[in-house]
Amino acid sequence: MMMALNKAKQIYLIFTIAALSACDRHQGPDVSGIDLEVNIERFDHDFDAMRAKPMPQQAAYLQKKYGFFYADYIERILTAGTVTDTAYFSVLRDVFKGKAYADLKHAVDSVYPDLNKQNLELTNAFKHVKYYYPQKQLPKVYAYFSGFQAQTSIGDGYFAIGLDMFLGADSKFYPALVQTLPHYITRRFTPEHITPRVIEGMAREDMFPEHDKDKTLLSKMIYNGKIMYFMDKILPDVPDSLKIGYTAHQLQWCNDHKADIWAYFLEENLLYNADYLQIQKYLTEAPFTPGLGEKNDSAPKLAVWTGWQIVRQYMDKHPDVTLPRLMADKDAQKILNDSKYRAK
């Protein structure tokens, strides 16, 4: 869940190459020499200080330290008013006095007394981004409470993480939100999902936003496949299940039914279908994919998973294609053709 704010933007030889490609996918390049360190700023802690400190002075401090994010948080996440009018202070005082805020703060502080693990993970991920994109200006990273609105928010020079959306699948807060956030979504609201969601959000919302002209299922399939492959390269040690948000069973189901999934897309003439109402069920979150599998045991987002396999196969067959060149390639049909994808 992403909230965009403010600005954003041969037999032996073949075997050897395949083995190296598979190995590459998990090992990745040596990024130890890249001088970069991520330190996630605890906006949630600085914001909480407004309870005890004089509010005008602390507000000025937050505006200076967090820039655009502070205004975005007050105006667009809390919807407390505008930062140019101190009337929003009374809204904040009411928030701080409420039991709901106290309970949420206690839960977040219990799960995240520090963010050392996430700092290390994001440092490694951002180094990989710099390896492939040396000129990329990386955002500052903040942690905050989203009010159960979004896992991540992106804006002008920042990327923010809603810690209340990563409290663990068994958090007491999520059952009360089941009407808007069903269990098949909240089961992924765990700490190990933070880094994959940050990298996916940066890829989709900042570095490689989807083009409006990409309307067919094939174009959306390849676009999503490239995003997933980007995550392969930036997060070489992260399991596929965390990248795509599958359970182990769903991932296994896709691998077991790879040929059936591809045959279904072809037989139903779906690849060139541009009717979003008809194709969205193969792209969006769901407990399963209607029409495939028995007893609703199919995985969701089958077009995303299939596009991922196509792009992987394309890159395995074209070791000369760099990651930036792949991500810049807008020809979905060429990628499919040159992948020689034949699900077996």
Side-chain angles (χ1 to χ4, degrees):
M1 297 182 66
M2 157 68 67
M3 178 180 287
L5 298 175
N6 209 21
K7 160 201 160 192
K9 309 128 248 92
Q10 64 164 316
I11 293 181
Y12 173 78
L13 185 57
I14 289 173
F15 174 80
T16 303
I17 290 173
L20 287 172
S21 298
C23 188
D24 264 355
R25 192 171 291 152
H26 297 288
Q27 290 185 352
D30 180 6
V31 298
S32 60
I34 297 175
D35 184 16
L36 182 156
E37 183 177 357
V38 174
N39 181 36
I40 303 170
E41 297 282 355
R42 293 297 296 258
F43 175 85
D44 57 317
H45 289 173
D46 288 340
F47 177 71
D48 185 67
M50 296 182 85
R51 287 189 304 140
K53 295 182 178 180
M55 199 166 279
Q57 288 93 319
Q58 187 65 7
Y61 168 76
L62 292 174
Q63 281 185 282
K64 181 178 180 180
K65 181 174 181 180
Y66 293 98
F68 288 111
F69 178 67
Y70 182 71
D72 288 339
Y73 185 74
I74 297 299
E75 297 173 5
R76 306 183 66 177
I77 296 174
L78 288 185
T79 61
T82 173
V83 294
T84 59
D85 182 351
T86 57
Y88 76 89
F89 288 171
S90 63
V91 177
L92 297 189
R93 292 188 181 99
D94 288 340
V95 168
F96 291 136
K97 285 189 293 188
K99 184 176 184 299
Y101 174 82
D103 288 348
L104 183 57
K105 174 174 168 48
H106 176 75
V108 170
D109 287 346
S110 297
V111 177
Y112 298 103
D114 59 61
L115 293 172
N116 295 340
K117 183 174 185 292
Q118 288 73 30
N119 284 332
L120 289 173
E121 290 176 354
L122 284 175
T123 293
N124 187 51
F126 279 22
K127 283 184 176 183
H128 280 78
V129 174
K130 274 290 191 183
Y131 176 86
Y132 293 106
Y133 293 87
Q135 304 307 313
K136 172 65 181 171
Q137 288 292 111
L138 293 168
K140 293 181 178 179
V141 186
Y142 307 141
Y144 74 112
F145 300 166
S146 79
F148 303 108
Q149 293 185 56
Q151 286 188 305
T152 55
S153 305
I154 190 169
D156 196 342
Y158 71 77
F159 198 101
I161 302 163
L163 294 180
D164 51 334
M165 300 287 271
F166 295 99
L167 292 175
D170 58 350
S171 170
K172 68 177 183 179
F173 294 101
Y174 301 146
L177 306 171
V178 70
Q179 294 301 318
T180 52
L181 294 170
H183 177 68
Y184 67 83
I185 291 178
T186 59
R187 67 168 180 77
R188 301 195 302 270
F189 287 9
T190 62
E192 63 263 32
H193 278 87
I194 287 180
T195 297
R197 299 293 70 80
V198 170
I199 296 306
E200 183 177 14
M202 283 178 56
R204 292 184 182 278
E205 302 295 329
D206 175 30
M207 298 179 72
F208 317 107
E210 187 173 14
H211 290 269
D212 292 337
K213 64 181 180 59
D214 293 341
K215 297 187 181 301
T216 67
L217 184 64
L218 175 61
S219 63
K220 292 180 177 296
M221 189 180 288
I222 299 302
Y223 168 76
N224 281 281
K226 291 195 298 181
I227 295 294
M228 299 308 300
Y229 187 82
F230 177 82
M231 294 176 71
D232 281 342
K233 306 306 282 185
I234 303 305
L235 303 170
D237 300 320
V238 171
D240 287 356
S241 57
L242 287 182
K243 290 176 204 159
I244 196 169
Y246 278 173
T247 63
H249 172 77
Q250 288 171 336
L251 192 62
Q252 188 62 51
W253 188 92
C254 284
N255 284 312
D256 290 345
H257 296 85
K258 188 176 181 180
D260 296 330
I261 296 167
W262 186 238
Y264 179 84
F265 285 141
L266 297 179
E267 290 166 4
E268 297 295 319
N269 296 314
L270 289 168
L271 292 189
Y272 305 103
N273 190 329
D275 185 335
Y276 189 72
L277 291 178
Q278 293 181 28
I279 64 176
Q280 57 87 24
K281 63 183 178 182
Y282 308 112
L283 296 158
T284 54
E285 301 289 355
F288 59 91
T289 300
L292 287 103
E294 299 177 359
K295 299 179 181 178
N296 298 336
D297 66 344
S298 60
K301 301 191 295 187
L302 292 180
V304 176
W305 184 83
T306 302
W308 192 9
Q309 310 318 305
I310 292 170
V311 172
R312 279 177 165 177
Q313 191 161 310
Y314 170 79
M315 292 299 282
D316 285 347
K317 290 182 179 299
H318 299 83
D320 59 313
V321 176
T322 63
L323 181 63
R325 184 174 151 196
L326 167 72
M327 301 308 293
D329 192 339
K330 303 297 190 293
D331 194 336
Q333 186 67 59
K334 177 179 75 68
I335 290 174
L336 172 61
N337 292 346
D338 291 352
S339 75
K340 297 180 169 45
Y341 186 71
R342 298 291 183 270
K344 296 179 181 179

